Amino acid sequence: AIETAKKAIVHCENAQNPQMLAMAHATAMDCLLTEAMLSRAKAPFDAAREHKDAAISLLREHKLEHLVEAVEKRFRKGSSSTIDA
């Protein structure tokens, strides 16, 4: 799933669609949080945080605060299942 999300990120970058790019980053975040939950490894958690930050940055840049809240909530929910942030 993470490889598909990474491909979606590239496609959205090429299409220059910031909202879809942000959602692709959020999807990658979800996949990596699941990996972190299953493996208890820190690397996927750190990568998930990077994707969360990228998504939130894009959403704020384009004044999509309602989506910022959704991504932050998804991250909090997923990170509480993995390791302390």
Side-chain angles (χ1 to χ4, degrees):
I2 186 60
E3 292 307 316
T4 302
K6 287 179 180 179
K7 288 177 185 177
I9 290 169
V10 172
H11 288 298
C12 292
E13 286 172 341
N14 292 338
Q16 299 180 347
N17 185 329
Q19 184 174 348
M20 293 301 296
L21 177 58
M23 296 293 71
H25 276 293
T27 300
M29 173 195 77
D30 290 335
C31 294
L32 289 160
L33 285 172
T34 299
E35 182 182 337
M37 179 183 67
L38 295 173
S39 69
R40 297 290 188 196
K42 187 158 175 27
F45 180 80
D46 291 340
R49 184 189 308 264
E50 289 176 18
H51 283 286
K52 175 197 66 121
D53 293 343
I56 288 174
S57 177
L58 284 163
L59 293 169
R60 285 203 168 121
E61 181 180 334
H62 295 282
K63 303 187 183 351
L64 298 166
E65 286 298 320
H66 64 288
L67 294 176
V68 169
E69 293 173 18
V71 170
E72 288 176 335
K73 183 178 179 180
R74 285 163 53 184
F75 183 79
R76 282 191 307 270
K77 184 178 179 182
S79 63
S80 68
S81 299
T82 56
I83 55 178
D84 293 333

